[in-house]
């Protein structure tokens, strides 16, 4: 519970903060309100002060709220004045304390852990006074306060809070009995806390908790019955306490004593526990972190988040009991959407596996297993959800390889719980487990159970017991075999947590997968993904109660009206009225967050289905953008940007975006599909800047990623507009391109290529295409971090930079060093936005993704010379897709000097036939041009000093063309053409160049490429028919005669070898004339 570092120095009187923290906005506002109250009352008597405050309150709602909040703040920070301020508050308020209740709820949910000791004590005192006064809505505040009592925590502050709230409930028992939900919530809370308070010094507190729970169970059992089956689980844990044992026996054997309407324990066990009760045993901070892990953290990157959670909440012996609460919450509350299930987000079973494998107490481990299987015992497919039982079977399935002991102990527990849970109900428990397993197979969570139940890794006794208990599930079409693991890459698990590769299982058992997706190409890793459950998941109705009280009466009435109606036209009318209220001058912007939460909850169904109609026509598009949530978009479109209401609606959308991120790509769709929004696509840029991200590129990439995960058709529909309207954001990196090619099929690829050919889509530019296709290109992917949990927040307020250095722990000085370095270098915002968080490299994409990328590139009219340097990056084994596409494109081109240079720059390898194949093709089509270019490269590289060349090649990151490379490729080409009638190596330019190289190279190269140089020697011999005495050459250099190749004119260079031989008999005078100007001379030349 301790969240404040020792060196923290309070800046204000409400929350604890450090010198690095910005001033808390809520505290600033409360201080302003306190200043207003003090300005009105300074120097006045008590009666005069009351009159002055009353007169100010009567001026209007704003003044009323300011005075109420000022007195509320004085109650929290001035204990000596608390009684008088509370009396004034009860006399002055005009809204039934609604303003105060809203602020108390806000502080409890967002600031409670940061409160200083005095405000914390005073807040509980104020809640007590509100309960005494019978204020309407105080029961909701008490339930929020109950949620702040952490399970598995016996620290002084937590014990004080538990006892203080219990005292309120005991002192105001008559008031408590009026609220059925408060009765159930408090009984559920304290039945759970009794387990933690067994130490001798806590017996007094435990006795008070026992007495309270017994009195409520005896007097108001029907109110407690709404808890459902988890009431039995909690009472079972405390049944050994003598007083509780009596209630436990009555529950099992004499139910009519508790209530005439109660028929027995089976009535409780068949009722599913509402998620409200399961969630009340996690503090808001725990709940936030757990939801973050199950919705934002990528599978394989969870270790640091789990380590933080372990240190914060599970590091003590007492905290082991918290694991049951966490498992029940994950099974009963965290129900990921189909989009999350099919993504690479950390799955629920992985977190539960981590909780089980890190448990250090045998008792806690047994309770954790019961919490995992609890919904199995009386499962009814008509009432219960598949999501409640799915984690248990997946934990067993995926633990078989890395942790077979976990799978074995869970299977053993599942078998033994049937006869031992409650013997009189053994048949019902057996039927519940049977229903669970049957439903699991029906929903294709696992295709077959035989590989799990009859696996050779399990001991013989357990397998025998499984066959005895579940014979229906132990037979399979093929003989039972061990689950195949060899196709999954073996990776060590961090901290006993299942890693990505452990998801890979045999094709007959992989969860949520289709057969056709199991086929994998040779040399490629198999990719397994969970696919969404097609059947609809049982959904609870929209619950907006937590936020309604934060709205004023008019807005509250409209929101409730919106909730009650299901007619789309009526909803649109009400939504327009809500927008009109937002645009009014006296609209309280502090309601924005609560209103956004209400709308996000009410419209959640709108964000689930497909947005794009099946048949795209003008009528169908207009109908698809006529939904209530689009009213906000429509009003934005019709406004001018300098209108004051424009910024208000943008702020409203920004709040909505925090609650429902899908609103971003829905706005993009509206701006394209709606006639009213024609030409207004740039409105999205204003929206992006208004969000918490504050950056167009980041916002656009996140929205398109969300669209990719939800609706691929919509992604393809939006692509042309996105690229044309935001070229600077889309063409500078391959991030969006990778999103598209990763999910499209061949039909959608062809449609995009048609858009490119028609000029309505441009996905590549000359200045950036090479970076996208080859070089590692950075992009920003926003990472939400434990902002509230970090005791040493960064100095950076820029979300872009903050997200870039989240991986650095706060204890390390490198964070501050990074800040000072970036500041001192005056790094521009563009550079910071491109900070290297994650990389995209098209050469590392999947095969179809790369082929799609190249097809889209070839649809553009971009010269091949633009991307030819990519050849230096390509390796024949690692990049076959890019090489294949380039090879087909090069065969259509006439070789240029740059093309030949890049082709020859590729390293020689006997298995890499790229260079040889394209050179051979060019020799049959463009032999003269190719010969001239190769001659130029040979002479150029031969004339470069060897030492300088080697230094350059060793220091450069790119492959440098060397003489040896050219000779190797030429020799390979010679071998390729040896059995053909191709006359490429009889061309004068090639032979002259070989003579020039031979004359200056060392003996090792002459021996290595002797067959190649033999062609030049034959050519020299044919050129040397006149007496050799006519040539004067040094006797010490016999090779100099061969090195001094006979000069040629332009006609000789273009003639065939036979023509060259005829011209050898010409008079020698022209030869002497050309000898002086020949480009290919002897060594002395």
């Amino acid at each position: 519970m301790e969240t404040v570092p020792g060196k923290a120095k309070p800046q204000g009187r409400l929350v604890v903060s450090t010198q690095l923290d910005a001033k808390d906005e809520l505290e600033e506002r409360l201080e302003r309100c306190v200043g207003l109250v003090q300005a009105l009352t300074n120097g006045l008597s008590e009666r005069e002060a009351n009159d002055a405050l009353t007169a100010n309150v009567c001026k209007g709602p704003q003044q009323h709220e300011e005075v109420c909040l000022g007195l509320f703040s004085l109650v929290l920070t001035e204990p000596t004045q608390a009684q008088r301020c509370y009396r004034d508050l009860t006399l002055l308020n005009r809204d039934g304390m609604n303003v105060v209740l809203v602020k108390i709820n806000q502080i409890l949910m967002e600031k409670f852990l940061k409160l200083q000791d005095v405000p914390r004590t005073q807040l509980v005192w104020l809640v007590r006074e509100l309960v005494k006064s019978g204020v309407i809505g105080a029961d909701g505040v008490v339930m929020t306060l109950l949620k702040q009592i952490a399970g598995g925590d016996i620290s002084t502050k937590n014990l004080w809070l538990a006892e203080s709230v219990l005292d309120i409930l005991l002192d105001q028992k008559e008031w408590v009995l009026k609220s059925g939900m408060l009765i159930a919530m408090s009984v559920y809370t304290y039945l759970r806390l009794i387990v933690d308070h067994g130490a001798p010094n806590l017996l007094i507190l435990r006795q008070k908790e026992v007495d309270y729970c017994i009195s409520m169970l005896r007097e108001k059992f029907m109110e407690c019955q709404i808890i459902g089956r988890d009431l039995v689980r909690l009472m079972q844990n405390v049944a050994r306490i003598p007083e509780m044992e009596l209630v436990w026996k009555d529950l099992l054997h004499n139910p009519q004593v508790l209530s005439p309407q109660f028929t027995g324990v089976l009535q409780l066990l068949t009722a599913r526990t509402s998620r409200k009760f399961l969630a009340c045993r996690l503090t808001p901070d725990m709940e936030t972190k757990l939801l973050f892990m199950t919705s934002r953290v990528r599978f394989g990157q969870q270790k640091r988040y789990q380590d933080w959670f372990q240190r914060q909440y599970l590091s003590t012996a007492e905290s082991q009991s918290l694991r049951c609460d966490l498992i029940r919450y994950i099974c009963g509350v965290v129900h990921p959407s189909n989009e999350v299930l099919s993504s690479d987000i950390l799955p629920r079973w992985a977190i539960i596996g981590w909780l089980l494998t890190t448990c250090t107490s045998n008792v806690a481990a047994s309770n954790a297993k019961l919490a995992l299987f609890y919904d199995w015992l009386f499962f009814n497919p008509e009432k219960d959800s598949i999501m409640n039982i799915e984690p248990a079977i997946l934990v067993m399935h995926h633990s078989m390889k890395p942790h077979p002991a976990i799978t074995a102990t869970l299977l053993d527990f599942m078998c033994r719980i049937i006869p031992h849970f409650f013997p009189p109900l053994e048949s019902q428990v057996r039927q519940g487990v049977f229903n669970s397993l049957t439903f699991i197979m029906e929903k294709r969570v696992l295709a077959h159970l035989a590989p799990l139940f009859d696996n050779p890794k399990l001991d013989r006794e357990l397998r025998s017991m499984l066959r005895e208990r579940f014979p229906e599930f132990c037979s399979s079409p093929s003989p039972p075999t061990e689950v195949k693991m060899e196709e999954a890459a073996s990776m060590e698990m961090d901290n006993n947590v299942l890693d990505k590769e452990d998801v890979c299982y045999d094709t007959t058992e992989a969860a949520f997968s289709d057969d056709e997706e199991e086929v994998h190409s040779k040399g490629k890793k198999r990719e397994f993904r969970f696919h969404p459950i097609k059947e609809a998941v049982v959904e609870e109705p929209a619950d907006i109660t937590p936020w309604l009280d934060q709205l004023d009466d008019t807005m509250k009435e409209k929101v409730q009206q919106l909730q009650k109606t299901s007619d789309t036209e009526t909803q649109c009318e009400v939504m327009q009225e809500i927008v009109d209220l937002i645009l009014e001058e006296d609209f309280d912007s502090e309601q924005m967050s609560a209103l956004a939460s209400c709308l996000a909850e009410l419209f959640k169904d709108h964000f689930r289905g497909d947005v794009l109609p099946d048949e795209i026509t003008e009528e169908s598009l207009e109908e698809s953008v006529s939904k209530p949530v689009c009213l906000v978009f429509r009003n934005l479109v019709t406004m001018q940007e300098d209108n004051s209401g424009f910024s208000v609606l943008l702020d409203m959308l920004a709040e909505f975006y925090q609650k429902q991120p899908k609103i971003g790509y829905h706005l993009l769709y509206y701006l394209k599909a709606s006639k009213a929004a024609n030409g207004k696509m740039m409105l999205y840029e204003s929206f992006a800047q208004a969000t918490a991200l504050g950056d167009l590129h980041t916002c656009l990439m996140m929205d398109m990623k969300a669209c990719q995960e939800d609706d691929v058709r919509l992604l393809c529909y939006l692509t042309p507009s996105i690229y044309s309207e935001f070229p600077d954001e889309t063409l500078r990196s391959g991030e969006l391109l990778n999103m598209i090619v990763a999910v499209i099929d061949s039909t959608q690829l062809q449609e995009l290529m048609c858009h490119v050919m028609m000029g309505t889509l441009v996905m590549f530019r000359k200045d950036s295409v090479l970076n996208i296709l080859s070089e590692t290109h950075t992009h920003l992917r926003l990472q939400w971090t434990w902002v509230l949990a970090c005791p040493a927040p960064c100095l950076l307020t820029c979300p872009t930079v903050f997200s870039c250095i989240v991986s650095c722990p706060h204890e390390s000085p490198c964070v501050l060093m990074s800040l000072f370095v970036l500041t001192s270098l005056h790094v521009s915002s563009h550079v910071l936005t491109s900070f290297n968080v994650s990389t995209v490299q098209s050469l590392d994409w999947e095969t179809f993704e790369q082929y799609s990328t190249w097809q889209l590139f070839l649809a553009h009219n971009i010269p091949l010379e633009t991307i030819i340097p990519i050849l230096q990056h390509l390796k024949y084994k690692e990049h076959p897709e890019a090489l294949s596409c380039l090879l087909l494109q090069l065969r259509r081109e006439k070789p240029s000097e740059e093309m030949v240079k890049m082709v020859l720059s590729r390293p020689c390898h006997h298995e890499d036939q790229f260079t040889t194949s394209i050179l051979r093709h060019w020799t049959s089509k463009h032999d003269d041009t190719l010969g001239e270019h190769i001659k130029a490269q040979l002479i150029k590289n031969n004339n470069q000093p060897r030492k300088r060349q080697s230094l350059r090649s060793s220091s450069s990151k790119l492959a440098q063309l060397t003489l040896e490379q050219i000779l190797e490729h030429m020799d390979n080409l010679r071998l390729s053409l040896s059995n053909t009638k191709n006359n490429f190596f009889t061309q004068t330019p090639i032979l002259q160049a070989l003579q020039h190289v031979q004359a200056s190279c060392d003996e090792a190269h002459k021996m290595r490429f002797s067959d190649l140089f033999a062609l030049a020697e034959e050519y020299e011999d044919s050129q040397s028919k006149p007496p050799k005495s006519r040539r004067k050459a040094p006797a010490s250099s016999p090779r100099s005669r061969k090195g001094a190749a006979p000069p040629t004119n332009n006609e000789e260079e273009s003639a065939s070898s036979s023509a060259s031989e005829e011209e050898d008999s010409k008079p020698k005078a022209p030869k002497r004339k050309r000898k002086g100007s020949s480009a290919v001379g002897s060594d002395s030349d």
Side-chain angles (χ1 to χ4, degrees), residues 1030 1047 1067-1078:
R1030 297 290 301 271
K1068 297 179 180 112
K1071 288 187 180 179
R1072 288 195 299 269
K1073 182 179 179 181
R1074 288 193 294 269
K1075 184 176 180 180
S1077 60
S1078 175

Side-chain angles (χ1 to χ4, degrees), residues 498-510:
L498 304 179
D499 259 337
K500 282 185 177 180
E501 296 299 335
D502 294 324
V503 180
C504 297
Y505 279 81
D506 184 65
T507 58
T508 60
E509 305 147 20

